[in-house]
Amino acid sequence: MVDVLTCTSLADAASALSSNRRARFLAGGTLLMRAINEGDQTIDTIVRTSDPAFLQIQEQGDRIVVGAGVTMNQILASPALEFLHPVARVVGGPAVRSMATIGGNLFAHHPYGELTTALLAVEATVAVAGGYTARELPLVDLLRDRDQQQQPLVASITVQRPLGPAGLRFKKVTRVKPKGISILSIAAMTNGRSIRVAYNGMAPTPMRALAVERALEGKALDAASVTPALAVAAEGTSPFDDAIASAWYRLEVLPVHLRRLLLGEAA
Ligand SMILES: Cc1cc2nc3c(=O)[nH]c(=O)nc-3n(C[C@H](O)[C@H](O)[C@H](O)COP(=O)(O)OP(=O)(O)OC[C@H]3O[C@@H](n4cnc5c(N)ncnc54)[C@H](O)[C@@H]3O)c2cc1C
């Protein structure tokens, strides 16, 4: 049997989670409820929250603070988050998008986690709720420790709006069009001559492609600048074999899709 605990505040939910190692936080439930229905015996309590802040999207100048309980469909309905629409649109089908949250996506293992890849490229930060305190940390730090420790409760995600509509580019690489399962995905944010690139499916967690970023720093995106960046595209990756693709295949197709994305070419 699994108990359900609904907390009126994020702080109470965080306390409930930290006091019971067998408690899990429930957001949209697209992954957690599947685990419970499949008989995961490590879970004895589900913790939810009715805190309104969990569902809010707040614009603060160029920053947008997105409650971790905001769903893909709510992202798609938000003009402030237009730069994330192409990403939210490729997460699952309509039923999944009506439940799947931005916060849950941060903890979704490959082949999932598309939105997280884009959030890494826009250098998102996350606010982690605590029993008495909340703290803000770079998303990259949350992902680094994601699978090593008890999951912290993410209250919200803060993103900086990219410059211009083409500021964020995104590609989900699949074998089946238009909506196959992800082999890997790539996101790139350009702000003038500064670029941030992130991959999913090239390591156990979504990662920044720091070598590519360094190779492109201060340069306009054209064939001359992109070619040397492609030569270091695999630096820092640790691709794996799974039922979707082999590590070899991932390494082969990564530079092909990265090139197209950076040069704005159609797939
Ligand atoms: C049929 C199907 C297709 C899918 N397709 C895609 C896809 O194309 N792309 C993709 O990226 N994903 C996909 N997913 C995976 C999933 O729907 C999404 O990743 C979704 O964003 C997960 O969010 P959720 O709210 O449903 O998470 P939940 O199932 O509620 O939670 C998942 C995990 O995250 C933890 N968690 C949730 N919210 C928080 C929080 N705020 N703080 C701390 N921990 C938290 C939970 O405790 C749990 O461990 C698919 C799932 C299904 C079932």
Side-chain angles (χ1 to χ4, degrees):
M1 203 182 76
V2 175
D3 292 327
V4 179
L5 181 65
T6 302
C7 301
T8 51
S9 75
L10 282 156
D12 287 350
S15 295
L17 287 165
S18 61
S19 62
N20 177 2
R21 295 190 72 82
R22 299 185 67 200
R24 297 287 184 282
F25 186 72
L26 176 73
T30 57
L31 295 174
L32 186 65
M33 289 313 298
R34 184 163 76 179
I36 291 171
N37 290 335
E38 285 171 354
D40 187 334
Q41 298 296 315
T42 65
I43 304 170
D44 72 1
T45 306
I46 286 173
V47 179
R48 306 167 59 232
T49 183
S50 55
D51 193 326
F54 195 58
L55 304 175
Q56 281 168 5
I57 300 173
Q58 293 173 284
E59 290 185 67
Q60 300 174 350
D62 274 349
R63 283 160 38 105
I64 307 161
V65 182
V66 187
V70 166
T71 64
M72 300 301 147
N73 274 357
Q74 287 167 322
I75 291 172
L76 288 167
S78 165
L81 295 172
E82 193 180 359
F83 59 97
L84 290 177
H85 289 185
V87 191
R89 208 171 282 128
V90 299
V91 172
V96 168
R97 288 195 293 276
S98 71
M99 300 297 290
T101 64
I102 183 171
N105 204 267
L106 307 180
F107 297 92
H109 289 168
H110 186 78
Y112 303 140
E114 263 92 50
L115 195 66
T116 305
T117 317
L119 293 173
L120 260 186
V122 298
E123 297 189 293
T125 58
V126 294
V128 170
Y132 299 101
T133 52
R135 63 196 167 97
E136 184 108 7
L137 67 153
L139 172 58
V140 72
D141 291 358
L142 179 92
L143 293 173
R144 189 190 53 224
D145 300 333
R146 184 182 72 175
D147 302 326
Q148 266 89 58
Q149 58 181 29
Q150 201 180 359
Q151 285 174 5
L153 175 58
V154 175
S156 63
I157 295 98
T158 299
V159 289
Q160 199 85 20
R161 211 191 304 264
L163 293 178
L168 179 67
R169 305 170 188 195
F170 176 76
K171 174 72 187 169
K172 177 175 181 174
V173 179
T174 63
R175 290 185 201 268
V176 180
K177 303 283 187 268
K179 295 279 298 185
I181 202 154
S182 170
I183 296 169
L184 61 93
S185 55
I186 311 172
M189 182 190 67
T190 53
N191 262 352
R193 296 205 163 189
S194 169
I195 184 156
R196 299 289 174 264
V197 180
Y199 305 148
N200 192 16
M202 294 305 299
T205 52
M207 58 170 283
R208 283 266 298 275
L210 297 174
V212 173
E213 294 175 6
R214 280 193 298 271
L216 292 170
E217 190 62 39
K219 298 184 180 145
L221 286 181
D222 55 29
S225 65
V226 165
T227 302
L230 297 179
V232 294
E235 212 174 291
T237 66
S238 46
F240 43 84
D241 296 330
D242 64 12
I244 306 161
S246 65
W248 174 86
Y249 184 78
R250 290 189 159 94
L251 285 170
E252 286 294 304
V253 298
L254 174 71
V256 176
H257 292 285
L258 180 61
R259 178 178 190 281
R260 290 176 186 161
L261 190 77
L262 295 175
L263 295 178
E265 294 172 356

